[in-house]
Amino acid sequence: MDLTTNYMGLTLKNPIIIGSSGLTNSVEKIKKLENNGAGAVVLKSLFEEQLLVDRDRLIEQDKQYFWYPEAVDYINNYAKEFGIKEYSDLIKNAKKDIDIPIIASINCISAGEWILFANRIEDAGADALELNVSLLPSDETRSSEENEKIYFDIIKKVKAKVSIPVSLKMSFYSSGLARLIQKLSWTKNVDSFVLFNRYYSPDIDINNFKIISSNVFSQPQEITTSLRWIALLSEKVKCDLIASTGIHSGEGVVKQILAGATAVQIVSAIYKKSPEYITTILNELKDWMKNKGFNSLDEFRGKMSNKKVENPAAFERVQFMKYFGGIV
Ligand SMILES: Cc1cc2nc3c(=O)[nH]c(=O)nc-3n(C[C@H](O)[C@H](O)[C@H](O)COP(=O)(O)O)c2cc1C
């Protein structure tokens, strides 16, 4: 049975990519994922914000040098250099020991200075670069156009610096999501889209009046948001689409490929179970293909996309009219 997948020009032995997270922050952990069958990994992100915070922490620690402007410059550069050096070393060491594709990841919020370092990731040997543009449209002074422009600015500047494939891990917060993704794909500066990023979600502890984090890991029912958008966009966008969030089983992988995904990213299910669970997911995928008589992923990829299904409105419907109508 042929599970190979072409993702942004990279050959994956199967469509299971382990997404950016603590699961992929060391060569040992990545080796374990590879040994259990992962098709590729996205490394833990290097955070644009983190570089800046680290710099501030260093300045705070070394207040006695604060009088010397050169010292501040030194600390500024040192913090950035340290972050990028550590990350480049992770890429280099992973490339020495690991055969599956290694996709680096940068978590960014602007088209800022960090882009100067993008080519260091390519030089270290990363097979591709995933940009997690973490935009929360919470600033009431910024219009949707201003927010969306950030994506265009980032990919243009990054593509000018690197020649490896670049993917954009998108937020679903956008009033014109389909148009935004289509227009980004037309720039030819994006090789694939990862739908979607799953944000940290704050919650309130009502007994202690504290803000706490909720649901660090996804639930299988969260698959529906990316499933809808993969199905809606897979024939409108001529780029690879990668499904992410709520994929916890072989069934989840099958659904996303039927909707039109090139491959999937999985994180929470591996945290909750173990790297060995990748083999279970792959076996479930193969069993389903065998049952249905498919020999390769291409034979059923997109079979249930919005354009192919009998009732295309199914993916567009947002009202529960039929269900709510009868409920009193
Ligand atoms: C503990 C943890 C750490 C994560 N760290 C990152 C990260 O550094 N960069 C990133 O782009 N996404 C990160 N993510 C998000 C995952 O890559 C993924 O998009 C999200 O968990 C949804 O997929 P899932 O439903 O399979 O968990 C993290 C997720 C978890 C649970």
Side-chain angles (χ1 to χ4, degrees):
M1 196 169 283
D2 180 14
L3 297 186
T4 54
T5 302
N6 184 311
Y7 174 40
M8 303 191 288
L10 306 170
T11 304
L12 273 50
K13 64 182 173 187
N14 67 58
I16 314 292
I17 302 169
I18 304 304
S20 178
S21 61
L23 295 168
T24 58
N25 65 4
S26 77
V27 178
E28 295 71 41
K29 290 185 194 173
I30 300 169
K31 190 79 199 159
K32 213 160 175 209
L33 298 168
E34 177 180 48
N35 288 342
N36 282 287
V41 294
V42 184
L43 298 181
K44 173 80 186 149
S45 298
L46 181 62
F47 282 71
E48 177 190 355
E49 277 165 305
Q50 194 182 18
L51 288 172
L52 301 173
V53 172
D54 284 351
R55 177 204 59 189
D56 292 345
R57 189 169 46 82
L58 280 170
I59 291 175
E60 185 62 28
Q61 275 170 3
D62 284 315
K63 272 211 168 107
Q64 72 267 34
Y65 299 123
F66 199 67
W67 300 105
Y68 304 102
E70 316 83 63
V72 177
D73 277 352
Y74 171 75
I75 287 171
N76 260 333
N77 292 330
Y78 171 79
K80 280 180 207 144
E81 184 53 39
F82 181 74
I84 193 74
K85 162 98 177 54
E86 209 177 27
Y87 204 66
S88 302
D89 286 348
L90 173 63
I91 299 169
K92 280 184 199 156
N93 293 332
K95 285 301 294 175
K96 261 190 247 153
D97 279 14
I98 314 279
D99 291 326
I100 55 175
I102 303 288
I103 302 168
S105 162
I106 295 185
N107 192 310
C108 52
I109 46 171
S110 73
E113 211 185 332
W114 69 266
I115 294 176
L116 295 173
F117 298 107
N119 58 329
R120 298 271 296 271
I121 283 176
E122 178 170 29
D123 294 346
D127 294 292
L129 174 61
E130 182 174 291
L131 301 175
N132 176 344
V133 183
S134 294
L135 278 181
L136 187 76
S138 57
D139 181 347
E140 74 285 358
T141 65
R142 294 183 65 87
S143 68
S144 50
E145 287 78 16
E146 282 172 299
N147 283 332
E148 289 179 357
K149 188 172 174 295
I150 296 174
Y151 286 110
F152 291 88
D153 290 348
I154 290 177
I155 53 162
K156 189 172 169 201
K157 289 190 181 163
V158 169
K159 265 292 192 183
K161 286 288 258 182
V162 301
S163 51
I164 49 176
V166 174
S167 67
L168 258 188
K169 190 172 187 183
M170 301 290 297
S171 156
F172 51 77
Y173 292 116
S174 165
S175 54
L177 190 59
R179 182 76 178 158
L180 170 64
I181 291 180
Q182 199 177 49
K183 275 171 60 187
L184 284 165
S185 77
W186 290 341
T187 63
K188 305 268 185 240
N189 287 326
V190 186
D191 299 281
S192 83
F193 294 92
V194 179
L195 308 180
F196 292 102
N197 197 2
R198 182 174 185 269
Y199 286 140
Y200 155 85
S201 332
D203 196 0
I204 294 177
D205 171 348
I206 60 169
N207 292 316
N208 297 299
F209 303 100
K210 280 192 171 151
I211 305 297
I212 51 171
S213 65
S214 76
N215 305 323
V216 174
F217 298 125
S218 70
Q219 299 295 324
Q221 52 272 30
E222 289 178 50
I223 194 175
T224 50
T225 303
S226 66
L227 191 64
R228 161 180 283 176
W229 286 98
I230 297 274
L232 285 174
L233 293 173
S234 60
E235 296 201 26
K236 288 189 184 154
V237 176
K238 288 188 178 38
C239 281
D240 290 325
L241 296 183
I242 300 300
S244 168
T245 300
I247 301 153
H248 285 240
S249 62
E251 186 183 345
V253 179
V254 169
K255 287 181 186 180
Q256 294 288 12
I257 294 175
L258 281 170
T262 302
V264 303
Q265 286 189 7
I266 303 183
V267 170
S268 294
I270 307 303
Y271 265 112
K272 284 187 184 169
K273 304 255 175 54
S274 69
E276 284 78 17
Y277 186 59
I278 300 169
T279 316
T280 310
I281 298 178
L282 285 168
N283 287 338
E284 287 170 355
L285 169 64
K286 285 189 256 181
D287 285 349
W288 180 86
M289 286 171 66
K290 198 167 152 204
N291 257 330
K292 299 287 176 197
F294 293 122
N295 292 312
S296 73
L297 303 180
D298 284 343
E299 288 173 27
F300 66 97
R301 183 176 282 110
K303 193 174 158 59
M304 302 293 290
S305 72
N306 196 45
K307 279 219 170 120
K308 303 256 172 68
V309 290
E310 269 172 35
N311 173 14
F315 284 111
E316 306 256 13
R317 185 181 300 137
V318 285
Q319 310 273 36
F320 281 100
M321 220 156 59
K322 185 173 157 201
Y323 301 99
F324 288 162
I327 297 172
V328 277

